[in-house]
Each structure stands twice: as structure tokens, then as C-alpha cells.
Amino acid sequence: MLAASCLLSQDQFLCSICLDVFTSPVTIPCGHNFCKSCITADWRINRKCKCPCCKRLFDLIPELHVNIFIAEMAAQFKQAAVKDVSEIAKPGEVSCDFCTGVRLKALKSCLVCQASYCEIHLQRHQKVSGLLRHKLVVPLDNLEDRICSKHGELKELYCKTDQICLCHFCSETDHESHDVVPLMEASKGKKAELGKMKVEIHEMVQERKLKIQELRQSEKLSREAADRQIADGLQIFTALTQFVETGMSELTEQITQKQKTTAEQAEDFITELTQEISELVNRNVEVEQLSCSEDHLRLLQSLSPLKASLPTKNWTDISLRQPSYEGTVARALAQLKESLSQRVEELLKAELKRVQQYAVDVTLDPDTAHPKLILSDDGKQVNHSNVVRNLPDNPERFSFCVVVLANQSFSTGRSYYEVEVKGKTKWDLGVISVSANRKGQVISCPEAGYWTLQLRNGNEYVALADPDVLLSVKSQPQRVGVFVDYEEGLVSFYNVDSADIIFSFTGCFFTENLCPFFSPCFNDGGGNSAPLRISVVHET
């Protein structure tokens, strides 16, 4: 069959209406063949049953049946056509808009029809007189965008003035005085821009890949830190639970032992009383017998011994001693509290030791110091003086508040430093944003970029949190530790001597570098003359 089909021309299997290889071919009574859909549509449009080839009219619409033989031959021709791989449109090539199934390469594009045609579907434009006047060009995709909607011509020029594509008619009318160049010339410059853009895109992709790695690493570190904290917390609270369970067990044992002693005493009394009752019952029987006896000698001889054998113990004043449970629970709680306090103190010291590993070297920045502040040569100490030094009023310097910042700042990770406050009745410590206001009266609160703690009147500790928080401090710190976790949004203040947390700012959102903040406050005529001193961190 295939060999025979090769002797036939493909034109013999083309529908004269659609000029394509038959699809569901039918034979009408005159003997001509057409696609079933083509002839049916032709008769419907013309409202006559006439053969498009021989013009024969039919009175009635013939019953149409698919010609199986011609359909098989047409299918073989279609398969033979697509076997030539070179005719099949590849990615990036313009394909025929009218091919169904496998799409062939377009041979021409029609500017009037705004469609592209392969060799087979182009035949109508080469045979039909009305289509011969259409303008055919090399195959182009996206024809609607390439054709000028005003003049119907290809856009082959580029207006640099308005940065749009034009046809020749547009360049001679609306853009006559503009800088117009051919598309090829304009695209050369754009290709250079595309080259730069390609490099930029590649760099952006690489940056984002690196950021993904960074985020994954950060998430991994966060997960590991969380696992460690959970394990530490579990260990801590397991130990505390054991303390409580041990205390409860000892309390229960103590109360139970008292109750057991009381129960044993009661049982001894009951046993003794039961025995005396038994003896009395026996004596009563003897008394009854003597009472009924007529033997006077026996009665007189037995009475005295009978009286002597009666129990002599006086039970009137004997009672069960009730144990005292008052204070047992209180004493147990006091002992538990002492044990827990010791354990909590150990845990707090362990926590402080953990943050102390993030210790950083901090020195004072003289360019930020208020003119009444005196800094040591090593930048580790500051105190207040009544003398105003003649210093330049640079933007970094505090002009009203007696404050100095550190040379260092924090923008990531965790940082810790300690300040000696011994002998002072007033001070302010903490961190501030680098852009926080330093001129005039300063409002110290997180909204203004200040996360600070202050001491007033020797024993009043206040966290400036807006509203301020008055703190209860168990013991007055001689050294204050400041811990910053930038990503966690945490600023904590520690009493280094007792390892207690004085206060923590939590849930903060930092967007700028944070600078350590120091204010020794006014010396108050010598009452607050002790300096603030940045001390060396020694692990607790």
C-alpha cells in the first residue's frame, strides 16, 4: 500500500475547499471528494447542494459517508509529510497557524491575514485571485504586534525620540522630525543593555542562592540552639521537679510516721484494756459462784485473794496523745525553698555564664561625650565634672544629657559587656539606635530608639519602657551586665554579683546599629562622684 501511494501525487489527496490533505473524506454523487466538514459548511453557507468542482446541483442533500480507502491513503500522506523532520517547526521557529496535530514550519506570513502558512496552506494565496493581492513576507511570529495598526505595514523602524517601533509611513508623517533608525541598528544598543541585564540577573540569582544558603544555615543554627535550650530547660525543670517530689515524699513520710506511732500506742492501750476486761469477766464468774455458795469458810478464805487479783490501773487519766502536725508543711516548704533557691542560684549563674561567652571589648567614644564628662585615657571610665569643656558641637555629641556612647556598635548576633556601678546613687545604662536623637532633652524609650535602665536615689531601679517599669531588686548590683541579641530583639540587664536578671526588653525590632549607652549622671556635689567603669568580663 505504501509503495503504491508513493506513485500518487499529494495533490490528489487535497480537499479543493481547504487545500489540505483530506480529513474524514466523503464522496458526493458526482464522484468528487471533499472533507466532510468542508462540503457540509459549503452547502450551508451557499444554501445550495452544488459540487464546488463540477457545479452539479442536487435536489436533495446526499447522505454522506466517509470513504475509508481515501481516508487511509490521506493518513499515509500525512505521515509521509511529517516524516521529513526538517519540515516540522522547531522551538523558536515560526509555525503554520493552520496545521493541526504536528505543526509545520511557516513558509510565508501574510500581513493582511496576519497569519503564517506552511507550503501546503500557502497554496490558496498562490491560486485564489482575491488572495494573490495580499502582501507576503518572510515568516514572522506575533504578527499583530509587528504590523502598524494605522497603516497595515510592517514596523521596520525605531523612533529613539518616542522609543516606539514604526512603519515607513509613520516615520514620514507623525515622526518626521524625530530620530528614526532601522530596527537592526536600534536593537544593537538594546542587545548591549540585555548583556548587562543578563550579568545583573546572573548576579541577582547568585545573591539569592547565597541568601537561601544563609537562611538555611541560620534556620539550622536556630533549630540547634532551640533544641539545646529545650534540653537544658528539660534538665532544669526535671531537677526542680525531683526536688519537689523529694520534698513531698519526705513530708508524707514524716506525717505518716507520726500517725503510725499514734496508731501503735492506741493499739497497745486497746490490747491492754481487752486483756483486763477478760480478767474482770473471769473474776465476775468467781464472784457469782461465791455469792451462791453456802460454804462460809471458803467464802471468807477466797474473798481477800479475789480482791487482790483485780486490775489496779486507773484508766481515767490515760488518753491517746495526739501528734502535732502544725508547722510540718511550713517547715517542709521552708526547706524546699532553701534547696530550690540554691538550685535556682546555680542555674542563674549557669545562664549568666552562657551569655558571658559573647563578651565584646567596649571603649568610650570621646566624639559623643557631653562636654561635662571626663573620660579616662584608656576609654574605659567616665564621670561627671562641673566644668564645661570647650568641645566642637559635632552631630554625634550629646548637647544636653550627660551621656557618652561606645566606639563599637552591634548590627548582628549576640554581644555582652559589664559596667561597674559601685558607689553610685544614679546612673543610666543600655543601648541606643545610631540615629536616635542626641540633641536637647532626650526622651528615653524604645520608640525613640533607647533601651535603657536607670538607678535613682540609690535604690530605685527603673526600666524606661514607656510607661516606665519600677523594678524590685533583691540585692543592689555592683556590676551590671548588658546582653544584646540582635536577631532575637532582646536587651537584658544582669546583676553580675547575684546572677539575677534585673530586666529584659523583649520582642524588639532592630533596624539599625545599636551603640552601648553610658550616663554617670550629675555628681550631686560629690554624692554621686564615683565613675562608671567598663570592667573586664570574668565568667561567673
Side-chain angles (χ1 to χ4, degrees), residues 427-429 442-456 461-471 493 503 505 517:
W427 50 255
D428 289 69
L429 293 172
V442 169
I443 299 175
S444 186
C445 65
E447 288 73 15
Y450 283 73
W451 293 268
T452 59
L453 189 73
Q454 70 173 202
L455 168 66
R456 293 294 182 268
Y461 294 88
V462 180
L464 303 180
D466 193 21
D468 297 343
V469 180
L470 183 62
L471 306 173
F493 298 87
F503 183 78
F505 290 94
F517 167 101

Side-chain angles (χ1 to χ4, degrees), residues 5 24 31 41 109-110 139 165 186 196 198 219 228 236 256 333 368 395 412 448 453 455 482 512 517-518 532:
S5 67
S24 299
S109 293
C110 177
C165 297
K196 293 180 180 178
K198 183 179 178 181
E219 190 276 333
R228 286 195 300 271
I236 290 169
T256 303
L333 287 175
T368 65
T412 186
L453 189 73
L455 168 66
V482 183
E512 301 178 342
F517 167 101
F518 308 85
L532 287 178

